[in-house]
Amino acid sequence: MERTLRAGRLATFVYFALNGFLMGMWVVHIPAVEHRAGVGHAVLGWLLLLLGAGAFAGMQLAGRLTDRLGARRVVPAGAVLCSAALVLPGLATNGWLLGVALLVLGFGNGCLDVSMNAHAVQVERGYRRPVMSAFHATFSIGGVLAALVGARTLDGGAGPAVTLGAVALLGVIVSVLAVPALLHPEPARTAHAPTEPHPDASAPTAASARSRTPRRIWLLAVLALMLMLCEGVANDWSVLHLRDVLDAPAATAALAYGAFATAMTLGRLLTDRVAARFGPVAILRYGASLAALGLTVAALSPWTPLALAGWTLFGAGLSGCIPQLFSAAGHTDLDAAGANVSRVAGLGYLGMLAGPALIGPLTRLVPLNLTFFLPVACCLVAACAAGILRAQRPASVRQEVEAV
């Protein structure tokens, strides 16, 4: 059993890294794809909304399928679809084809995202200790690897269709090879918690559980929206902040996102051990507070080095927050982990898209650095609401723990 669990954990690492690598390769090739399709920045901005719409739809479908069929079936299917769809933007020769390609790519990414997180929750239940953050760190590492590989292939003159096609083929192969290590679905358990022997006695219990669960899940989803909004702001505006507000050289300005992303990755590699000792509430409360402090420092700093330190603290603080929300969503109802993760991930993904979009219009009213107090406020709200992670486990799990 222990060997099977370790294999399942390793397979989860593989799929998270693959997802980060696939989406990183897309990001690296955006300029080349834009040129091949003959679209401008404005049109591309609208087309990217299709990527988000496809991802949201894929997340909702994958959540339901994961609960019905098990992550063992949905994860590789989502990985194959996401991998195969990666080549489509590289083949697009006009805006219409690019829009369809991004919709399909987003759908595949959404399916893989939710199903692999649901499988990660299953692995975490087996280990009975936090392991979620390390998976998200692997996703970030896959993105860094994509940046290195993409830079090398672009420097060599390879076209987007060739490079993305090769990566798509590699992704399909990896997706299939990792299947045997995935964990088998767990038997349904929340339906076996009635306190009365009569079959009808379980109905009120199950109904009340279902009525309580959505409220907690939606609260987690709102927190995910706010925190991923913060992450989206860092992704799209950190470099512009140093360049436009502090007049830093282009090379130095690029370090803002680098500092943020590096701190996020390292923080996620360390978060599981911290969460095991202090609990997820502390991770969210103090992590979000640290993120608010870091972004405040960056926004108000008149010096580039201090601003870089602020962006680093911002990334370190945010690093462990989202994995705690995903983990809590998956553990709330063991028989609806996929659907619950899809709600939290879906709303969070919308926040990541909405964050950068909100900052732009705000810059017409206040300077760019002052707009950052919107994500600062989001971090503070998340810190105050961290107690939501203290909710009780489902009855079936409490009975298992007491039995042990």
Side-chain angles (χ1 to χ4, degrees):
M1 178 63 183
E2 185 177 350
R3 181 178 299 179
T4 300
L5 192 57
R6 283 201 299 265
R9 186 183 184 187
L10 178 60
T12 311
F13 278 125
V14 169
Y15 284 109
F16 268 82
L18 176 63
N19 191 205
F21 184 70
L22 293 174
M23 299 313 295
M25 289 298 291
W26 150 245
V27 170
V28 169
H29 286 82
I30 285 178
V33 169
E34 181 185 44
H35 176 74
R36 177 181 173 86
V39 298
H41 295 336
V43 174
L44 179 64
W46 286 106
L47 293 178
L48 288 175
L49 293 178
L50 293 175
L51 181 73
F56 185 82
M59 288 175 180
Q60 305 316 304
L61 176 62
R64 297 185 182 92
L65 291 179
T66 299
D67 292 332
R68 180 176 299 179
L69 305 176
R72 182 181 173 90
R73 294 182 179 180
V74 183
V75 170
V80 168
L81 176 58
C82 186
S83 299
L86 182 65
V87 71
L88 298 180
L91 298 174
T93 54
N94 57 59
W96 291 102
L97 292 177
L98 181 57
V100 173
L102 293 180
L103 188 65
V104 177
L105 177 60
F107 185 83
N109 178 53
C111 290
L112 176 56
D113 192 310
V114 163
S115 59
M116 71 184 185
N117 272 288
H119 188 266
V121 170
Q122 186 178 347
V123 171
E124 192 171 57
R125 283 203 295 269
Y127 273 88
R128 300 195 177 211
R129 61 180 173 86
V131 297
M132 178 68 78
S133 292
F135 295 135
H136 286 253
T138 309
F139 175 89
S140 301
I141 293 172
V144 172
L145 180 61
L148 297 175
V149 173
R152 188 64 181 269
T153 56
L154 289 170
D155 187 57
V162 175
T163 303
L164 296 180
V167 172
L169 178 60
L170 175 64
V172 170
I173 294 173
V174 171
S175 302
V176 174
L177 291 179
V179 173
L182 291 172
L183 301 180
H184 288 278
E186 296 176 311
R189 293 182 292 182
T190 56
H192 304 301
T195 57
E196 300 293 334
H198 193 278
D200 293 338
S202 64
T205 302
S208 61
R210 281 193 297 269
S211 66
R212 289 194 301 269
T213 298
R215 181 183 177 186
R216 181 174 188 248
I217 292 301
W218 287 121
L219 288 174
L220 292 172
V222 170
L223 292 179
L225 182 148
M226 290 190 292
L227 291 174
M228 292 182 73
L229 179 150
C230 298
E231 187 175 343
V233 169
N235 291 343
D236 287 16
W237 293 98
S238 57
V239 175
L240 288 173
H241 166 238
L242 260 68
R243 193 179 66 191
D244 295 348
V245 176
L246 300 180
D247 293 323
T252 303
L255 294 177
Y257 176 71
F260 170 82
T262 302
M264 282 276 288
T265 303
L266 294 178
R268 285 176 172 173
L269 289 173
L270 299 173
T271 294
D272 287 329
R273 292 188 178 184
V274 180
R277 182 171 182 178
F278 299 103
V281 175
I283 294 294
L284 181 56
R285 176 171 295 146
Y286 296 111
S289 299
L290 179 62
L293 174 63
L295 189 54
T296 299
V297 169
L300 299 181
S301 172
W303 304 295
T304 297
L306 185 58
L308 289 173
W311 284 110
T312 302
L313 290 177
F314 187 49
L318 282 181
S319 60
C321 296
I322 290 297
Q324 306 311 309
L325 299 178
F326 281 19
S327 179
H331 289 297
T332 296
D333 184 344
L334 305 186
D335 297 330
N340 290 337
V341 170
S342 72
R343 295 186 184 105
V344 175
L347 207 58
Y349 195 83
L350 291 181
M352 181 172 286
L353 295 175
L358 287 173
I359 295 298
L362 286 178
T363 58
R364 298 179 181 178
L365 304 175
V366 295
L368 174 61
N369 59 317
L370 296 184
T371 66
F372 295 155
F373 284 100
L374 172 63
V376 166
C378 291
C379 289
L380 293 176
V381 170
C384 293
I388 186 67
L389 297 182
R390 198 181 287 118
Q392 291 183 339
R393 297 168 177 165
S396 58
V397 176
R398 291 199 302 272
Q399 292 170 358
E400 288 182 4
V401 174
E402 291 170 358
V404 174

